[in-house]
Amino acid sequence: MIKSPLLPDGDQNTVSIATKPRADQSLDQDWAALMIAIRDRQDTQAFAALFAHFAPRVKAFLLKSGANETLAEDCAQDVMTTVWRKSHLFDPARATVATWIFTIARNRKIDLLRKERRPEPEELPWGPEPEPDASDVIALEQDSKKLQSALIQLPEKQRILIERCYFGDLSHSEIASETGLPLGTIKSRIRLALERLRREMDADKE
Amino acid sequence: MAQIKHHLTDELIMAYSAGLLPEAFSLVVATHVSMCDACRAALEAHDAVGGAVLEDAGEVALAPEALANCLAAIEQLPPKGPIAFDRSELPLKNDPVLPEPLLDYVDGGIEAVNWRPVGLGVKQAILPTSKEASVRLLYIPAGAEVPDHGHHGTELTLVLQGAFRDEFDRFGPGDVEIADPNVEHTPVAEEGEPCICLAATDAPLKFRKFLPKIAQPFLRI
């Protein structure tokens, strides 16, 4: 997948992936700020920090989705490179970094595993200004944390069903609409962010 | 943005978010979401479930050189400006009828659609997707009836222009009708402008009035 030459030895191992403890310090890490550092300043340190946390998760996600070791490794690297390449499209008022990386991994998975095109909705990129309100970003992150704890706390059978669904291990006719997850507040927050975006886009046209 | 009354179901949105839908259905979902912010919000909320699943998927270490590989690949990318993005520089792919996802499937936009007649002024163009399901554009002259048809599987019909009515309701631009298997319905285009729809099925459509059964595989309806 990625055939670029390796960096000189000295530049390797800036981040030790294998030894990173599986700590939930991740919950307090400001991933969105790292994404914005990548977007605005091409910050490779920020990228290395995101990589250390998300790349092993993306690889695990791909393996659980049926990819073999080689494909999962190549695809995970490719997903992380795409995170950099598409950083200008990341909107922290509508998605957390985990959510956004999930969508990139899912699309690459459909490309590579199913060998199918993935029709995507028209992008609604936000201009450089104004930045989304910091409190909106924090609120979305808090709701996403609640969603994640809700997922962990679901009865096992139900949780496994949802995970299998996102690992692509169900048919679409097996999906239940009632997930038991608190999606209502996230939906309304994203809706508000979209309304604001539409107003800005209309203002741009004038 | 049109006043949309008929939306996608949560099941469809979740299946699309998880990447479980056949390409033909994904195209209808992506096109509707491009027209409907309510369903876009619902989709992005379901993507958040995917984000939570990713966080909990566990960790599998990458090859030792993986980060260096990525940084090298990034190095090859064209440099970005300090703020990489300006909306006014977007290549606006504006088509008067076809939302952006469809422009990847119809080269040259609505004027370039390769319509084939299916009877009584109704025309269709089958779009190239994977074979599990099929999707077509339908052109129904104002006031005309789409040949009565039933279908084995689920049928999704999204209105792109004009409107139609059937036994159940009225469907205008952006509205999506989700028809169960075995439903027979007779959509009639409203007077005014021709009705253009995007319709996906996971089984061949059966037109009853006009075509003998044997013609169906031949016409790929």
Side-chain angles (χ1 to χ4, degrees):
Chain A
M1 194 76 22
I2 292 165
K3 296 195 178 76
S4 316
L6 299 185
L7 290 184
D9 281 339
D11 286 343
Q12 289 189 33
N13 306 322
T14 31
V15 173
S16 162
I17 299 151
T19 57
K20 190 166 186 292
R22 168 136 174 66
D24 272 345
Q25 70 201 46
S26 68
L27 290 180
D28 301 309
Q29 180 59 266
D30 191 354
W31 302 122
L34 294 179
M35 272 309 304
I36 288 167
I38 292 170
R39 184 193 71 189
D40 292 350
R41 299 193 299 278
Q42 290 75 56
D43 184 333
T44 50
Q45 294 288 336
F47 181 78
L50 277 187
F51 188 99
H53 180 75
F54 286 107
R57 286 175 168 77
V58 169
K59 186 168 173 183
F61 171 80
L62 293 166
L63 286 168
K64 288 185 173 174
S65 301
N68 64 30
E69 164 66 32
T70 315
L71 194 61
E73 173 74 31
D74 287 351
C75 187
Q77 291 185 25
D78 188 54
V79 166
M80 294 313 293
T81 310
T82 306
V83 166
W84 177 287
R85 196 163 50 78
K86 292 198 164 176
S87 57
H88 58 283
L89 292 171
F90 171 65
D91 179 354
R94 282 161 52 212
T96 63
V97 175
T99 296
W100 191 65
I101 293 180
F102 157 72
T103 63
I104 294 174
R106 171 201 62 204
N107 292 357
R108 289 303 284 146
K109 181 178 97 178
I110 293 170
D111 266 5
L112 291 172
L113 258 64
R114 296 233 309 255
K115 307 218 185 311
E116 246 181 66
R117 288 159 92 181
R118 161 81 179 182
E120 277 286 297
E122 178 191 359
E123 301 266 21
L124 287 184
W126 51 306
E129 282 157 341
E131 293 282 335
D133 202 72
S135 63
D136 290 347
V137 174
I138 291 166
L140 182 71
E141 272 171 10
Q142 283 170 346
D143 286 339
S144 302
K145 275 177 210 167
K146 279 186 205 145
L147 174 64
Q148 204 187 332
S149 2
L151 178 65
I152 295 166
Q153 283 159 24
L154 280 180
E156 197 182 358
K157 212 172 149 189
Q158 211 173 340
R159 180 177 54 80
I160 288 173
L161 207 62
I162 290 173
E163 286 175 356
R164 281 183 56 204
C165 170
Y166 281 84
F167 295 140
D169 191 23
L170 278 186
S171 86
H172 64 92
S173 55
E174 290 173 279
I175 286 179
S177 64
E178 201 37 74
T179 56
L181 293 172
L183 291 183
T185 47
I186 295 186
K187 224 183 271 187
S188 355
R189 276 190 212 292
I190 295 171
R191 191 68 205 274
L192 287 173
L194 286 170
E195 279 168 19
R196 197 170 46 238
L197 192 58
R198 293 284 183 196
R199 278 198 303 275
E200 285 164 25
M201 287 173 83
D202 287 346
D204 274 7
K205 279 184 202 153
E206 279 156 18
Chain B
M1 195 165 282
Q3 199 60 48
I4 294 172
K5 274 173 35 195
H6 300 278
H7 297 272
L8 298 166
T9 60
D10 270 352
E11 287 94 332
L12 273 169
I13 289 174
M14 187 169 178
Y16 175 75
S17 169
L20 300 178
L21 290 180
E23 187 182 353
F25 284 88
S26 288
L27 184 57
V28 178
V29 171
T31 307
H32 175 82
V33 166
S34 300
M35 304 168 87
C36 175
D37 278 353
C39 288
R40 191 189 283 266
L43 169 63
E44 291 178 358
H46 281 85
D47 287 346
V49 180
V53 169
L54 176 69
E55 276 286 359
D56 278 341
E59 294 177 68
V60 176
L62 276 80
E65 71 280 8
L67 175 61
N69 280 355
C70 286
L71 289 171
I74 285 163
E75 197 109 310
Q76 308 287 316
L77 295 171
K80 292 183 177 189
I83 287 174
F85 205 75
D86 179 355
R87 195 158 39 228
S88 61
E89 286 173 9
L90 266 187
L92 278 182
K93 292 200 258 168
N94 265 341
D95 187 276
V97 179
L98 306 180
E100 203 177 300
L102 283 173
L103 297 180
D104 290 336
Y105 288 82
V106 183
D107 220 10
I110 189 70
E111 296 302 327
V113 174
N114 187 14
W115 296 109
R116 299 286 167 90
V118 289
L120 292 191
V122 177
K123 296 183 284 185
Q124 71 168 5
I126 295 171
L127 306 181
T129 59
S130 66
K131 290 201 166 56
E132 304 152 86
S134 70
V135 62
R136 75 212 60 217
L137 286 164
L138 280 172
Y139 175 102
I140 313 155
E145 190 180 290
V146 178
D148 183 22
H149 63 279
H151 35 88
H152 294 295
T154 305
E155 185 186 27
L156 291 184
T157 309
L158 168 65
V159 179
L160 301 173
Q161 173 193 294
F164 72 81
R165 283 175 192 278
D166 65 10
E167 290 82 342
F168 302 98
D169 214 330
R170 175 192 186 271
F171 297 85
D175 281 333
V176 63
E177 181 175 44
I178 302 168
D180 288 330
N182 311 318
V183 169
E184 282 184 38
H185 59 142
T186 315
V188 179
E190 278 189 356
E191 293 301 335
E193 58 184 344
C195 180
I196 297 176
C197 299
L198 180 69
T201 49
D202 52 8
L205 269 184
K206 304 174 286 182
F207 281 102
R208 293 191 195 289
K209 278 184 188 165
F210 301 107
L211 297 165
K213 269 208 150 100
I214 200 157
Q216 284 193 31
F218 174 64
L219 291 172
R220 286 219 301 142
I221 295 183

